[in-house]
Amino acid sequence: MDLKAQEPLRLLGVRTDDGQRVQLRAQGPAAAQADGLTTGMRVELAGLWMHPEATPGLPKPQPYFMAGSIKASGGAAGAAPQPTVTRQQGSGAVAAAAGGGVKAIVIPIAGVASPGVACPGTTLPLTTVAAVKRAVFEESNPRGVTVGSTLNKCSYGITKLTSSSSFVAPLLNLPCNSTNNGVNWTFSKCDFDDFNGYAEAADEALRQRGVNLDAYKHRVYLLPPSQCGFVGLGYIGCDGSFDCRVWIGADVWATPAAIVHEIGHNLFLAHAGAVTSAGVFDDYADISGTMGYCCSDRCPNTPHAWQLGWVTMQQIDGTTIKPGQTLTFSVSSQAVSRQAGLRITLGNSSDPLFVGYRTKAGGDAAAPVDIAGLLSSITPGRLHLYTAAIANTFDPQPTDWKGSLGTLGSSWAHPTAGIVVRLKSINRTAAVVTLCRKAGPETPASCRAGLDNDCNGLAGDKDPACLKLRLLGRVRRRP
Ligand SMILES: [Zn+2]
């Protein structure tokens, strides 16, 4: 399913001090200022209220606020811990955005004119509440893939979602239109005020039934078939002072990957992107992680797992690798060990490089073969390469998938930093890789010193380039 076409890339909402939610659009300097925002920040806006003209016969458009400047303060970003910076195995841990677990209430919604009759613009839900429970809770579906099993397994129990602290509410029948906090909403269309209105109305109905909503930081609203074309929508980040909303489209109520993706946004993750064959960056095109396109079952990619504090990584200062030098590392499968992956800093001009190894085990047991390899002795897993500017747990920066290696001896070269990553061996638990810094063609001196100037994985007499130099008599045989 195509998430990109349906999930707006950037939709900003602010809540005023009197509780009203307002759609915000940004232009000029505000567009860049909006990039750094996460949910829960306090913002001061300068700009204009916009009231689009109504077209006869069409629903009245919603007013919105056009911001020319945004001044933000507070939010979780101010208190962000730095992720682990260590080369030691087993030490250090990132303060997880959801340490202690995800406490979510999942709220299936119908819009009904009268019992059994859907509102104009909607139909009755396609999925039963029982099926939603089986998609959400591991306890309701111990052998299947669920939201709970994905979070529990991929996080090594750090970000658990269980039926003891999360809740799937009974189907909630909302009226076809109403007003909450002074804002009108209707199922006849799906503007910002409408899907926020469904959430406000659902919250109110649940409170009236005695549900303690404050026990659930994450509110997952399951929308009936409606004018809302998106697969999902979620707040990027949330801190303690702000309820954290997610909306899930009618077709994917029982699709764990869709719900995990949106909860991932709540946990401060941006998207998992890649440059497509057309040469453009598509911020969903990394299939190796939950933050890419919906809907295969897999864990977050390695940089995102690290951002969440689910894995710790060997940290390498790539600028200290000398020209022609080769370093060897063992990279554990992300599904097998919390000590997984490499993060290589490359100086100020390039984003850090991430190396992750994925096998079909743990939270990746159901992952497609192009993520986690074939379950065979020849290709038991795949090594993936990414760059990402993520600085800490609360830093929603996209990741950029650069490619993957599955055959022994294959390599990938960083286009500007001159670092070459080569796959030396793989098994079901770990891959052995080398990092080499390019220094140009082999020379008599590099051949004598056993360096690998061209980073082809061969040094000294084993490198045909060196043999050629020796046969040409330019390199004297050492005594
Ligand atoms: Zn998304």
mmCIF file of all heavy atoms in Angstrom, residues 141-175:
data_model
loop_
_atom_site.group_PDB
_atom_site.id
_atom_site.type_symbol
_atom_site.label_atom_id
_atom_site.label_comp_id
_atom_site.label_asym_id
_atom_site.label_seq_id
_atom_site.Cartn_x
_atom_site.Cartn_y
_atom_site.Cartn_z
ATOM 1 N N ASN A 141 -2.965 -13.140 20.127
ATOM 2 C CA ASN A 141 -2.554 -13.767 18.867
ATOM 3 C C ASN A 141 -1.089 -14.187 18.996
ATOM 4 O O ASN A 141 -0.209 -13.631 18.337
ATOM 5 C CB ASN A 141 -2.752 -12.727 17.743
ATOM 6 C CG ASN A 141 -2.392 -13.263 16.376
ATOM 7 O OD1 ASN A 141 -2.125 -14.447 16.197
ATOM 8 N ND2 ASN A 141 -2.372 -12.369 15.397
ATOM 9 N N PRO A 142 -0.829 -15.159 19.899
ATOM 10 C CA PRO A 142 0.558 -15.457 20.267
ATOM 11 C C PRO A 142 1.429 -15.931 19.104
ATOM 12 O O PRO A 142 2.642 -15.770 19.154
ATOM 13 C CB PRO A 142 0.436 -16.563 21.318
ATOM 14 C CG PRO A 142 -1.005 -16.748 21.594
ATOM 15 C CD PRO A 142 -1.805 -16.007 20.577
ATOM 16 N N ARG A 143 0.821 -16.503 18.079
ATOM 17 C CA ARG A 143 1.647 -17.035 16.985
ATOM 18 C C ARG A 143 1.764 -16.064 15.810
ATOM 19 O O ARG A 143 2.569 -16.270 14.913
ATOM 20 C CB ARG A 143 1.107 -18.378 16.510
ATOM 21 C CG ARG A 143 1.681 -19.548 17.318
ATOM 22 C CD ARG A 143 1.320 -20.874 16.672
ATOM 23 N NE ARG A 143 -0.081 -21.203 16.889
ATOM 24 C CZ ARG A 143 -0.521 -21.865 17.967
ATOM 25 N NH1 ARG A 143 0.312 -22.262 18.899
ATOM 26 N NH2 ARG A 143 -1.798 -22.137 18.111
ATOM 27 N N GLY A 144 0.982 -15.002 15.808
ATOM 28 C CA GLY A 144 0.998 -14.092 14.670
ATOM 29 C C GLY A 144 1.889 -12.883 14.910
ATOM 30 O O GLY A 144 2.480 -12.725 15.973
ATOM 31 N N VAL A 145 1.986 -12.038 13.885
ATOM 32 C CA VAL A 145 2.685 -10.762 14.039
ATOM 33 C C VAL A 145 1.658 -9.734 14.489
ATOM 34 O O VAL A 145 0.595 -9.597 13.880
ATOM 35 C CB VAL A 145 3.347 -10.324 12.717
ATOM 36 C CG1 VAL A 145 3.966 -8.949 12.859
ATOM 37 C CG2 VAL A 145 4.400 -11.340 12.291
ATOM 38 N N THR A 146 1.958 -9.020 15.566
ATOM 39 C CA THR A 146 1.038 -8.014 16.093
ATOM 40 C C THR A 146 1.815 -6.725 16.356
ATOM 41 O O THR A 146 3.046 -6.709 16.287
ATOM 42 C CB THR A 146 0.421 -8.482 17.428
ATOM 43 O OG1 THR A 146 1.472 -8.614 18.396
ATOM 44 C CG2 THR A 146 -0.309 -9.815 17.287
ATOM 45 N N VAL A 147 1.086 -5.658 16.666
ATOM 46 C CA VAL A 147 1.762 -4.420 17.069
ATOM 47 C C VAL A 147 2.623 -4.721 18.298
ATOM 48 O O VAL A 147 3.794 -4.330 18.378
ATOM 49 C CB VAL A 147 0.731 -3.317 17.405
ATOM 50 C CG1 VAL A 147 1.421 -2.055 17.903
ATOM 51 C CG2 VAL A 147 -0.132 -3.008 16.183
ATOM 52 N N GLY A 148 2.034 -5.450 19.240
ATOM 53 C CA GLY A 148 2.761 -5.787 20.465
ATOM 54 C C GLY A 148 4.002 -6.618 20.200
ATOM 55 O O GLY A 148 5.083 -6.302 20.679
ATOM 56 N N SER A 149 3.862 -7.673 19.377
ATOM 57 C CA SER A 149 5.032 -8.538 19.146
ATOM 58 C C SER A 149 6.124 -7.773 18.416
ATOM 59 O O SER A 149 7.311 -7.960 18.693
ATOM 60 C CB SER A 149 4.634 -9.798 18.371
ATOM 61 O OG SER A 149 4.373 -9.515 17.007
ATOM 62 N N THR A 150 5.732 -6.900 17.491
ATOM 63 C CA THR A 150 6.740 -6.131 16.758
ATOM 64 C C THR A 150 7.497 -5.210 17.713
ATOM 65 O O THR A 150 8.734 -5.209 17.738
ATOM 66 C CB THR A 150 6.067 -5.317 15.631
ATOM 67 O OG1 THR A 150 5.339 -6.204 14.794
ATOM 68 C CG2 THR A 150 7.095 -4.565 14.807
ATOM 69 N N LEU A 151 6.750 -4.444 18.509
ATOM 70 C CA LEU A 151 7.424 -3.530 19.440
ATOM 71 C C LEU A 151 8.225 -4.325 20.483
ATOM 72 O O LEU A 151 9.370 -3.992 20.777
ATOM 73 C CB LEU A 151 6.401 -2.618 20.124
ATOM 74 C CG LEU A 151 5.711 -1.590 19.218
ATOM 75 C CD1 LEU A 151 4.602 -0.868 19.978
ATOM 76 C CD2 LEU A 151 6.708 -0.562 18.668
ATOM 77 N N ASN A 152 7.618 -5.379 21.027
ATOM 78 C CA ASN A 152 8.291 -6.127 22.096
ATOM 79 C C ASN A 152 9.584 -6.763 21.605
ATOM 80 O O ASN A 152 10.623 -6.656 22.252
ATOM 81 C CB ASN A 152 7.362 -7.220 22.643
ATOM 82 C CG ASN A 152 6.063 -6.648 23.197
ATOM 83 O OD1 ASN A 152 5.926 -5.444 23.383
ATOM 84 N ND2 ASN A 152 5.108 -7.522 23.454
ATOM 85 N N LYS A 153 9.498 -7.424 20.436
ATOM 86 C CA LYS A 153 10.672 -8.154 19.944
ATOM 87 C C LYS A 153 11.724 -7.211 19.375
ATOM 88 O O LYS A 153 12.905 -7.370 19.638
ATOM 89 C CB LYS A 153 10.263 -9.185 18.895
ATOM 90 C CG LYS A 153 9.487 -10.366 19.484
ATOM 91 C CD LYS A 153 9.025 -11.311 18.384
ATOM 92 C CE LYS A 153 8.201 -12.447 18.983
ATOM 93 N NZ LYS A 153 7.540 -13.229 17.927
ATOM 94 N N CYS A 154 11.287 -6.233 18.578
ATOM 95 C CA CYS A 154 12.273 -5.343 17.953
ATOM 96 C C CYS A 154 12.981 -4.486 18.999
ATOM 97 O O CYS A 154 14.100 -4.040 18.784
ATOM 98 C CB CYS A 154 11.606 -4.444 16.900
ATOM 99 S SG CYS A 154 10.906 -5.342 15.498
ATOM 100 N N SER A 155 12.309 -4.237 20.144
ATOM 101 C CA SER A 155 12.897 -3.353 21.160
ATOM 102 C C SER A 155 13.570 -4.122 22.274
ATOM 103 O O SER A 155 14.038 -3.514 23.235
ATOM 104 C CB SER A 155 11.819 -2.442 21.761
ATOM 105 O OG SER A 155 11.011 -3.137 22.695
ATOM 106 N N TYR A 156 13.600 -5.448 22.193
ATOM 107 C CA TYR A 156 14.158 -6.259 23.290
ATOM 108 C C TYR A 156 13.450 -5.937 24.602
ATOM 109 O O TYR A 156 14.066 -5.859 25.664
ATOM 110 C CB TYR A 156 15.671 -6.059 23.404
ATOM 111 C CG TYR A 156 16.419 -6.642 22.230
ATOM 112 C CD1 TYR A 156 16.758 -5.846 21.139
ATOM 113 C CD2 TYR A 156 16.745 -7.990 22.187
ATOM 114 C CE1 TYR A 156 17.410 -6.387 20.036
ATOM 115 C CE2 TYR A 156 17.394 -8.540 21.089
ATOM 116 C CZ TYR A 156 17.724 -7.740 20.031
ATOM 117 O OH TYR A 156 18.358 -8.285 18.937
ATOM 118 N N GLY A 157 12.142 -5.699 24.503
ATOM 119 C CA GLY A 157 11.346 -5.471 25.709
ATOM 120 C C GLY A 157 11.423 -4.071 26.278
ATOM 121 O O GLY A 157 10.824 -3.785 27.309
ATOM 122 N N ILE A 158 12.137 -3.162 25.606
ATOM 123 C CA ILE A 158 12.280 -1.792 26.130
ATOM 124 C C ILE A 158 10.994 -0.990 25.904
ATOM 125 O O ILE A 158 10.583 -0.195 26.738
ATOM 126 C CB ILE A 158 13.477 -1.094 25.451
ATOM 127 C CG1 ILE A 158 14.777 -1.768 25.904
ATOM 128 C CG2 ILE A 158 13.505 0.400 25.758
ATOM 129 C CD1 ILE A 158 15.973 -1.344 25.095
ATOM 130 N N THR A 159 10.380 -1.168 24.736
ATOM 131 C CA THR A 159 9.200 -0.394 24.377
ATOM 132 C C THR A 159 8.034 -1.352 24.183
ATOM 133 O O THR A 159 7.512 -1.520 23.091
ATOM 134 C CB THR A 159 9.488 0.429 23.103
ATOM 135 O OG1 THR A 159 10.663 1.215 23.339
ATOM 136 C CG2 THR A 159 8.360 1.389 22.771
ATOM 137 N N LYS A 160 7.653 -1.997 25.261
ATOM 138 C CA LYS A 160 6.610 -3.013 25.185
ATOM 139 C C LYS A 160 5.221 -2.402 25.015
ATOM 140 O O LYS A 160 4.936 -1.348 25.585
ATOM 141 C CB LYS A 160 6.595 -3.820 26.482
ATOM 142 C CG LYS A 160 7.526 -4.994 26.494
ATOM 143 C CD LYS A 160 7.251 -5.844 27.719
ATOM 144 C CE LYS A 160 8.060 -7.123 27.659
ATOM 145 N NZ LYS A 160 7.835 -7.954 28.822
ATOM 146 N N LEU A 161 4.386 -3.079 24.263
ATOM 147 C CA LEU A 161 2.962 -2.755 24.248
ATOM 148 C C LEU A 161 2.239 -4.045 24.611
ATOM 149 O O LEU A 161 2.378 -5.047 23.910
ATOM 150 C CB LEU A 161 2.528 -2.243 22.875
ATOM 151 C CG LEU A 161 1.051 -1.829 22.729
ATOM 152 C CD1 LEU A 161 0.916 -0.717 21.695
ATOM 153 C CD2 LEU A 161 0.168 -3.007 22.331
ATOM 154 N N THR A 162 1.535 -4.036 25.742
ATOM 155 C CA THR A 162 0.859 -5.253 26.206
ATOM 156 C C THR A 162 -0.586 -4.938 26.569
ATOM 157 O O THR A 162 -0.961 -3.777 26.783
ATOM 158 C CB THR A 162 1.545 -5.823 27.463
ATOM 159 O OG1 THR A 162 1.358 -4.895 28.537
ATOM 160 C CG2 THR A 162 3.027 -6.060 27.245
ATOM 161 N N SER A 163 -1.381 -5.998 26.700
ATOM 162 C CA SER A 163 -2.796 -5.805 27.017
ATOM 163 C C SER A 163 -2.994 -5.377 28.475
ATOM 164 O O SER A 163 -4.087 -4.969 28.846
ATOM 165 C CB SER A 163 -3.585 -7.083 26.727
ATOM 166 O OG SER A 163 -3.061 -8.155 27.479
ATOM 167 N N SER A 164 -1.937 -5.424 29.276
ATOM 168 C CA SER A 164 -2.117 -4.992 30.665
ATOM 169 C C SER A 164 -2.075 -3.467 30.793
ATOM 170 O O SER A 164 -2.657 -2.912 31.722
ATOM 171 C CB SER A 164 -1.073 -5.639 31.577
ATOM 172 O OG SER A 164 0.219 -5.256 31.178
ATOM 173 N N SER A 165 -1.400 -2.785 29.865
ATOM 174 C CA SER A 165 -1.349 -1.321 29.973
ATOM 175 C C SER A 165 -1.915 -0.622 28.744
ATOM 176 O O SER A 165 -1.981 0.608 28.709
ATOM 177 C CB SER A 165 0.079 -0.850 30.236
ATOM 178 O OG SER A 165 0.938 -1.324 29.242
ATOM 179 N N SER A 166 -2.298 -1.370 27.724
ATOM 180 C CA SER A 166 -2.967 -0.776 26.561
ATOM 181 C C SER A 166 -4.360 -1.385 26.440
ATOM 182 O O SER A 166 -4.675 -2.377 27.097
ATOM 183 C CB SER A 166 -2.160 -1.024 25.283
ATOM 184 O OG SER A 166 -0.971 -0.250 25.313
ATOM 185 N N PHE A 167 -5.183 -0.788 25.597
ATOM 186 C CA PHE A 167 -6.602 -1.140 25.608
ATOM 187 C C PHE A 167 -7.189 -0.927 24.218
ATOM 188 O O PHE A 167 -6.941 0.108 23.586
ATOM 189 C CB PHE A 167 -7.306 -0.230 26.636
ATOM 190 C CG PHE A 167 -8.794 -0.410 26.738
ATOM 191 C CD1 PHE A 167 -9.359 -1.659 26.961
ATOM 192 C CD2 PHE A 167 -9.644 0.696 26.635
ATOM 193 C CE1 PHE A 167 -10.740 -1.811 27.078
ATOM 194 C CE2 PHE A 167 -11.023 0.558 26.755
ATOM 195 C CZ PHE A 167 -11.563 -0.704 26.978
ATOM 196 N N VAL A 168 -7.923 -1.910 23.737
ATOM 197 C CA VAL A 168 -8.709 -1.720 22.516
ATOM 198 C C VAL A 168 -10.145 -1.462 22.957
ATOM 199 O O VAL A 168 -10.786 -2.330 23.562
ATOM 200 C CB VAL A 168 -8.631 -2.946 21.582
ATOM 201 C CG1 VAL A 168 -9.566 -2.767 20.397
ATOM 202 C CG2 VAL A 168 -7.199 -3.146 21.084
ATOM 203 N N ALA A 169 -10.628 -0.256 22.685
ATOM 204 C CA ALA A 169 -11.974 0.128 23.127
ATOM 205 C C ALA A 169 -13.030 -0.569 22.270
ATOM 206 O O ALA A 169 -12.747 -0.976 21.126
ATOM 207 C CB ALA A 169 -12.132 1.643 23.020
ATOM 208 N N PRO A 170 -14.253 -0.700 22.797
ATOM 209 C CA PRO A 170 -15.349 -1.203 21.948
ATOM 210 C C PRO A 170 -15.631 -0.199 20.830
ATOM 211 O O PRO A 170 -15.232 0.965 20.929
ATOM 212 C CB PRO A 170 -16.536 -1.275 22.907
ATOM 213 C CG PRO A 170 -16.003 -1.067 24.271
ATOM 214 C CD PRO A 170 -14.696 -0.362 24.149
ATOM 215 N N LEU A 171 -16.313 -0.650 19.785
ATOM 216 C CA LEU A 171 -16.630 0.247 18.672
ATOM 217 C C LEU A 171 -17.418 1.454 19.181
ATOM 218 O O LEU A 171 -18.384 1.312 19.931
ATOM 219 C CB LEU A 171 -17.444 -0.504 17.616
ATOM 220 C CG LEU A 171 -17.809 0.305 16.374
ATOM 221 C CD1 LEU A 171 -16.558 0.605 15.554
ATOM 222 C CD2 LEU A 171 -18.825 -0.447 15.521
ATOM 223 N N LEU A 172 -16.963 2.623 18.768
ATOM 224 C CA LEU A 172 -17.580 3.859 19.229
ATOM 225 C C LEU A 172 -18.401 4.446 18.078
ATOM 226 O O LEU A 172 -17.861 4.746 17.017
ATOM 227 C CB LEU A 172 -16.444 4.827 19.593
ATOM 228 C CG LEU A 172 -16.628 5.786 20.737
ATOM 229 C CD1 LEU A 172 -17.088 5.062 21.991
ATOM 230 C CD2 LEU A 172 -15.306 6.491 21.009
ATOM 231 N N ASN A 173 -19.698 4.604 18.295
ATOM 232 C CA ASN A 173 -20.542 5.199 17.264
ATOM 233 C C ASN A 173 -20.635 6.699 17.483
ATOM 234 O O ASN A 173 -21.153 7.151 18.504
ATOM 235 C CB ASN A 173 -21.942 4.589 17.313
ATOM 236 C CG ASN A 173 -21.946 3.147 16.824
ATOM 237 O OD1 ASN A 173 -21.284 2.822 15.839
ATOM 238 N ND2 ASN A 173 -22.659 2.286 17.516
ATOM 239 N N LEU A 174 -20.115 7.464 16.536
ATOM 240 C CA LEU A 174 -20.193 8.925 16.628
ATOM 241 C C LEU A 174 -21.299 9.428 15.709
ATOM 242 O O LEU A 174 -21.630 8.772 14.712
ATOM 243 C CB LEU A 174 -18.856 9.555 16.217
ATOM 244 C CG LEU A 174 -17.647 9.218 17.096
ATOM 245 C CD1 LEU A 174 -16.414 9.957 16.579
ATOM 246 C CD2 LEU A 174 -17.907 9.565 18.555
ATOM 247 N N PRO A 175 -21.852 10.608 16.030
ATOM 248 C CA PRO A 175 -22.866 11.178 15.127
ATOM 249 C C PRO A 175 -22.224 11.648 13.818
ATOM 250 O O PRO A 175 -21.002 11.704 13.710
ATOM 251 C CB PRO A 175 -23.409 12.362 15.920
ATOM 252 C CG PRO A 175 -22.317 12.734 16.856
ATOM 253 C CD PRO A 175 -21.588 11.454 17.185
#
